[in-house]
Amino acid sequence: MASIERTAYPQFKRNPVVRELVTAYTPTDAELAFITDSARQPGHRLTLALLLKSFQRLGYFPAIDEVPAAVVRHLRNALRYRVQVKPADIAPNKRYRYFQRIRTYLQVRAYADGGLDVAARAIHQAAAVMDNPADLINVAIEQLVRDRIELPAFSALDRLARRIRTLVNGRYFALIDARLTVDEKQRLDDLLVVTDVRTKSLLQAIKRLPKRSSLQHFQEL
């Protein structure tokens, strides 16, 4: 599995600075009106505000308990609620309605609405010239963001990138195998042959790292 830290997949900063809180998590007047019109109770409005601003920052809906405490405090202050107001633990059907309202408000599509095809096409095209799974995941993220489609879980992108990478590489391997003559295949096989236990295979010689730059070492290589 690719390391999420090596990709552009958005994540919360556990301790966001004040500048980031103000810039990324302060709701506009229009957003405040949307939150007020979409929920009645203070706890539900706070939850909706957290989902809205988190989605704008991340491109997907996080679990409420994953939102940093600093972001919760900042949005609670923006809504002018007391410290006693906590994010409401909403039922799955209400959470789904909140997701739908936010997508409509932000004019984005759910990943289930064509996102898989978009990500797969982007990865398939990139896999022709890239091999690192993290790079392939980044290509998919960039295309999904460009097409205003919600990001799936990181594990879904990782599985998709590895599956398509295996498919594309398998086709390349088959193409190369079909072009090799019998003699060329035998020569490749011979690279692995060790005639004396005290020596290494020719493949090890090919893989050997170059020495310090000098004319003699270059001639040896």
Side-chain angles (χ1 to χ4, degrees):
M1 181 174 182
S3 173
I4 191 172
E5 285 75 20
R6 297 183 62 187
T7 71
Y9 194 83
Q11 299 182 84
F12 282 121
K13 292 182 179 179
R14 299 321 303 174
N15 297 297
V17 298
V18 174
R19 179 182 300 176
E20 181 182 359
L21 291 172
V22 173
T23 303
Y25 296 103
T26 301
T28 64
D29 291 341
E31 291 168 351
L32 289 172
F34 165 76
I35 294 168
T36 302
D37 293 341
S38 301
R40 296 183 179 180
Q41 300 299 324
H44 287 186
R45 287 177 176 174
L46 179 55
T47 294
L48 182 59
L50 290 170
L51 291 173
L52 172 64
K53 301 307 293 183
S54 296
F55 188 94
Q56 289 175 316
R57 184 64 169 172
L58 303 175
Y60 59 90
F61 294 107
I64 293 299
D65 57 6
E66 295 176 353
V67 181
V71 175
V72 177
R73 290 194 298 268
H74 181 77
L75 276 170
R76 182 165 50 217
N77 291 336
L79 294 172
R80 301 183 184 278
Y81 289 148
R82 296 181 178 180
V83 69
Q84 290 82 2
V85 175
K86 306 294 182 184
D89 185 14
I90 56 179
N93 59 338
K94 183 178 286 291
R95 182 167 62 248
Y96 176 77
R97 289 199 297 271
Y98 282 175
F99 290 173
Q100 289 294 83
R101 290 179 182 178
I102 290 173
R103 292 186 188 111
T104 301
Y105 179 75
L106 297 178
Q107 297 182 335
V108 298
R109 285 187 286 158
Y111 183 72
D113 186 16
L116 176 60
D117 291 339
V118 170
R121 284 196 300 269
I123 293 175
H124 190 276
Q125 183 176 2
V129 294
M130 297 179 179
D131 189 61
N132 191 323
D135 293 335
L136 298 177
I137 291 172
N138 288 341
V139 168
I141 292 173
E142 182 180 359
Q143 190 61 54
L144 289 170
V145 171
R146 185 183 297 118
D147 289 0
R148 302 190 64 79
I149 299 175
E150 178 182 349
L151 297 180
F154 177 78
S155 58
L157 289 177
D158 182 66
R159 289 193 301 270
L160 182 64
R162 288 186 177 276
R163 186 162 59 245
I164 295 177
R165 172 176 175 264
T166 300
L167 176 65
V168 172
N169 285 348
R171 290 175 178 171
Y172 279 141
F173 299 155
L175 178 63
I176 294 171
D177 180 72
R179 291 179 176 179
L180 290 173
T181 66
V182 174
D183 180 62
E184 289 169 338
K185 291 179 182 180
Q186 184 60 52
R187 290 171 61 190
L188 290 173
D189 289 339
D190 290 344
L191 293 177
L192 302 175
V193 175
V194 178
T195 57
D196 189 330
V197 294
R198 293 170 298 180
T199 62
K200 296 182 179 180
S201 68
L202 291 176
L203 180 62
Q204 291 296 326
I206 294 175
K207 292 170 57 179
R208 188 173 56 202
L209 295 176
K211 300 178 182 179
R212 179 178 57 84
S213 300
S214 70
L215 179 58
Q216 179 183 351
H217 291 158
F218 177 75
Q219 290 171 338
E220 291 176 356
L221 181 63

